[in-house]
Amino acid sequence: MKLLEINSLDLAVPGKNLIKNFNLTINNNERWGVLGPNGIGKSTFLYAMMGLNQIHAGSINICEKKLETYSAKSLAKVMGILFQDYKDAFPITVMESVMAGRYPHMKSWSMYSNEDIKIVEEILELVSLSDKAYRYINTLSGGERRRVAVATLIVQSPMIWLLDEPTNHLDMHYQISMLDLLIERVEKSNGALLMVLHDVNLLMRYCTHAILMIDSNKIITGKVEEVINRENLQILYNHPIKQITDNNKQMFFPA
């Protein structure tokens, strides 16, 4: 099934074209990673998939329906996003923050059910935050708040998962454990993933496909093994790249 279909997309910000005439189809069980230099438009592109940034031409289809035909609540049932950073408008507890992810699945004017509470408690255990369930968000560290955001997306349980730099604020252990958990949930939902990263080696570890945003007229897409190589990465970042092979796996680092 085509979960996300982008047709002839043009995307721009004041004074700069970001994407011209871009086409992409993402199917069930595909995990796409997005790489590109700072300011190229990776986050803007990701947010456009949710209708949060205006597109200038083209169309976006979600589960074979036009994006603009969805209400906010109906879209949240099939698509969820992990923003690059969160700013808390007012102090709420971890439990309350994560519980908000259940909102798309609630009936109008209904309260959270015992099942909702059980789901949230289970996910808080998985992200190692059970002991902080009733702490206020603004008292947590940056890494802990990032894990709250991951938990909120997981309890939302979408089919299309959009992640903007999901490893922000996370140490090495939690980078891997949170990405492992997210990938497990994507697979469980028979869904798809579109993830912005700065670490090409994490992309190679977790993604089946890659998008290399070089400039508005040149975006390389394809399977990871076909498009992630030293030559493409040197063009992408305008920097020498060193390639290392370890146990038959390729890794890339700035030279």
Side-chain angles (χ1 to χ4, degrees), residues 158-212:
M159 287 190 67
I160 304 168
W161 303 65
L162 307 180
L163 311 179
D164 193 6
E165 297 186 30
T167 57
N168 267 8
H169 307 296
L170 297 177
D171 62 34
M172 187 177 292
H173 166 71
Y174 279 117
Q175 286 183 18
I176 300 304
S177 63
M178 292 300 100
L179 285 173
D180 282 348
L181 180 58
L182 285 163
I183 296 301
E184 175 194 326
R185 293 291 162 150
V186 172
E187 292 176 345
K188 186 176 180 180
S189 69
N190 196 30
L193 175 76
L194 181 60
M195 171 167 59
V196 170
L197 286 168
H198 279 298
D199 189 332
V200 61
N201 297 309
L202 284 177
L203 183 149
M204 294 181 68
R205 179 169 179 156
Y206 289 105
C207 295
T208 60
H209 296 72
I211 301 171
L212 308 185

Side-chain angles (χ1 to χ4, degrees), residues 78-93:
V78 295
M79 179 181 280
I81 187 166
L82 180 70
F83 291 101
Q84 187 176 135
D85 282 300
Y86 286 80
K87 294 182 180 179
D88 306 307
F90 51 88
I92 58 174
T93 67

Side-chain angles (χ1 to χ4, degrees), residues 206-240:
Y206 289 105
C207 295
T208 60
H209 296 72
I211 301 171
L212 308 185
M213 297 181 66
I214 296 172
D215 60 41
S216 62
N217 293 301
K218 187 172 184 181
I219 300 177
I220 299 173
T221 66
K223 293 182 178 179
V224 165
E225 62 269 21
E226 296 172 352
V227 302
I228 301 295
N229 54 56
R230 182 169 173 266
E231 293 71 25
N232 281 345
L233 293 175
Q234 288 186 150
I235 294 170
L236 182 70
Y237 292 116
N238 191 30
H239 190 90

